[in-house]
Amino acid sequence: NPVTGTVTINSGNTPTISVIEPVLTLGKTIVSPSLGTTIDAGDIVSYRIVVGNNGTNTGSTAHDTLITDTLPAALAINAPITITASGGVTFVNASTTGVGGRITVTVPTLTIGQIITIEYTASALQAVTPAEVLTNDSQTSWSTQPGTNPDERKDGNGLLNGGGLNDYRLRSSQTITSTSPTIEKNMLSTSAACAAGTCPKAPRARR
């Protein structure tokens, strides 16, 4: 139809259309200290973040992938931040270190099979309180088209497979706890007689 631009195909066969979309994965781990270990001010925690496009024949290239990692106030990011990209991935690293530091990495295109790995350490500050639970939150978001496109699929309706149409977002968190104080009481010295339970009695006053 030259007016509407609609193309009508009359065929006895029923066409099959496969819809493909980019599906990413996000993994976050504490490399050290080992699981269950508590930390104190001055201790160092090592983190690893892995984002990949593991799609198969039903997947596609992810565009404008944004990786963020936010630390609690009691942790400070140390330099350097190591980023390893496989399969020819290009990225823009806008991360900051120190108190209030934040990991921010942008990947323009992430094709099927490509992986980006971020590794860094963080130091526990003097501001950490006893038995404080320190939660480190990582997120990644992406879209189906580069730039701004009104017809693209992207994030904005919650996490992946959460029921929303634009659910291109993943989140992964890790927690570590600061050490709780302990109180210990020891007897340093005493008299032998009292230790044996035979402390002498004080003399009675005479009237």
Side-chain angles (χ1 to χ4, degrees):
N1 189 320
V3 177
T4 63
T6 302
V7 178
T8 302
I9 300 176
N10 296 317
S11 174
N13 298 323
T14 301
T16 300
I17 300 176
S18 297
V19 178
I20 60 176
E21 60 180 334
V23 178
L24 304 188
T25 57
L26 168 64
K28 181 183 180 64
T29 56
I30 295 178
V31 179
S32 65
S34 58
L35 183 66
T37 303
T38 58
I39 62 171
D40 206 345
D43 288 343
I44 294 177
V45 186
S46 298
Y47 293 98
R48 178 182 294 130
I49 306 164
V50 181
V51 176
N53 186 337
N54 298 330
T56 56
N57 57 347
T58 60
S60 63
T61 298
H63 295 276
D64 301 331
T65 300
L66 175 64
I67 305 167
T68 60
D69 190 77
T70 305
L71 272 72
L75 290 176
I77 298 177
N78 301 318
I81 298 169
T82 303
I83 303 176
T84 305
S86 69
V89 180
T90 60
F91 59 87
V92 177
N93 179 16
S95 303
T96 56
T97 59
V99 179
R102 191 168 187 255
I103 304 293
T104 306
V105 178
T106 303
V107 186
T109 58
L110 196 63
T111 61
I112 294 175
Q114 291 183 326
I115 298 172
I116 188 162
T117 303
I118 304 169
E119 295 178 302
Y120 70 95
T121 64
S123 296
L125 303 176
Q126 293 295 328
V128 67
T129 58
E132 182 177 357
V133 178
L134 305 172
T135 301
N136 180 223
D137 183 67
S138 297
Q139 296 192 43
T140 185
S141 60
W142 64 98
S143 64
T144 57
Q145 299 293 325
T148 302
N149 187 321
D151 297 321
E152 69 180 351
R153 292 278 304 279
K154 55 184 180 179
D155 72 308
N157 296 142
L159 299 177
L160 187 65
N161 298 323
L165 180 63
N166 291 308
D167 61 351
Y168 288 176
R169 177 175 292 273
L170 292 169
R171 172 180 292 165
S172 181
S173 298
Q174 289 289 344
T175 61
I176 193 166
T177 305
S178 63
T179 304
S180 298
T182 57
I183 300 176
E184 183 176 312
K185 182 177 181 180
N186 294 306
M187 181 181 292
L188 300 180
S189 63
T190 184
S191 65
C194 286
T198 57
C199 291
K201 296 181 179 180
R204 297 178 64 181
R206 295 182 179 180
R207 296 182 178 179

